[in-house]
Amino acid sequence: MKHYLISFVTVVLLAASCAGWQGKIESGLDYAHEAGVAIREAGAPLLNQKCKEAAYSCVERGITDPADCTTYVDCVRVRSVIAKSLIALQQAIMDGKTALAIDDAGSAEAATARALELVYLIRKQLMEHGVL
Amino acid sequence: MATVLMIIEKALPYASALVKFLSLAVKAGNSSVSKEDIEQEIAAIRSWVEDAEMQEADIFARASSDDG
């Protein structure tokens, strides 16, 4: 009787702990997704404005080839890096979701850590360029 | 007593499945981000950059044609 009870309690505890890590990972991925969307919504218009200003500034100085407009080229490069990082963030979230669906705790944790690190890095990059 | 033990023994696999099902139901109730949300966001990021680059290319193109 004792043996069966211990087995039952063990199964319940294992399932409960499993649900625990899944919930934690899930909320981490949700947070990363919301942060990514918020960063794009706030950062995109500001980055576009910067690039547009750089383009107009060059045009006013008679530079009509975008490749010759270094301020514009730099701005486009920063925007491209941010966009690529934001896509990488969403892909990390997708990886985390996939790992969660197959109960792969290690991969889910690694994907969540990568997503959260990307949120931090993107924010840092935007602040360094005076966007956020 | 033997009957109780037999019932518990048979119920063990179902108990774990039940707990798992309940945890998934709780997760679904929390409505976390879906695969579609992620795909939508990736599309939004791509269109943001493409639209902006098109508008900026237009600024240079107009200036270039004004020069000509």
Side-chain angles (χ1 to χ4, degrees):
Chain A
M1 176 71 176
K2 202 176 171 184
H3 169 75
Y4 286 108
L5 270 176
I6 289 168
S7 301
F8 182 75
V9 169
T10 308
V11 167
V12 170
L13 284 178
L14 275 173
S17 68
C18 184
W21 73 257
Q22 282 179 331
K24 209 171 155 187
I25 297 276
E26 191 98 37
S27 56
L29 293 172
D30 287 354
Y31 165 77
H33 177 74
E34 280 165 27
V37 173
I39 288 170
R40 177 183 57 78
E41 284 176 347
L46 295 169
L47 273 167
N48 288 353
Q49 186 61 30
K50 274 196 158 211
C51 294
K52 219 174 229 178
E53 279 171 11
Y56 277 124
S57 162
C58 279
V59 163
E60 277 166 16
R61 284 183 280 129
I63 304 167
T64 53
D65 185 351
D68 295 334
C69 181
T70 48
T71 47
Y72 175 69
V73 170
D74 288 346
C75 185
V76 168
R77 193 178 299 132
V78 170
R79 186 172 58 197
S80 171
V81 168
I82 298 291
K84 277 178 187 162
S85 302
L86 283 170
I87 290 173
L89 165 63
Q90 294 304 322
Q91 280 164 348
I93 295 164
M94 186 79 95
D95 291 345
K97 291 292 236 181
T98 308
L100 263 181
I102 55 167
D103 271 349
D104 183 349
S107 301
E109 274 172 18
T112 309
R114 167 125 183 91
L116 295 174
E117 190 194 2
L118 277 165
V119 169
Y120 168 75
L121 288 174
I122 296 165
R123 273 199 187 132
K124 199 177 152 204
Q125 277 174 331
L126 285 170
M127 281 195 279
E128 276 170 5
H129 290 99
V131 178
L132 282 184
Chain B
M1 187 67 162
T3 316
V4 173
L5 287 177
M6 205 174 72
I7 290 168
I8 290 174
E9 191 179 7
K10 286 192 174 176
L12 270 176
Y14 298 104
S16 70
L18 178 69
V19 173
K20 181 89 182 162
F21 171 78
L22 287 174
S23 76
L24 287 174
V26 168
K27 271 202 304 182
N30 287 338
S31 76
S32 62
V33 58
S34 69
K35 212 172 169 179
E36 287 72 30
D37 295 331
I38 296 167
E39 281 164 357
Q40 243 174 34
E41 179 55 19
I42 290 174
I45 296 164
R46 290 205 169 112
S47 78
W48 153 42
V49 176
E50 281 165 13
D51 291 352
E53 279 177 356
M54 263 169 54
Q55 284 178 22
E56 289 147 14
D58 199 41
I59 295 170
F60 285 105
R62 266 188 284 134
S64 183
S65 67
D66 287 351
D67 275 0

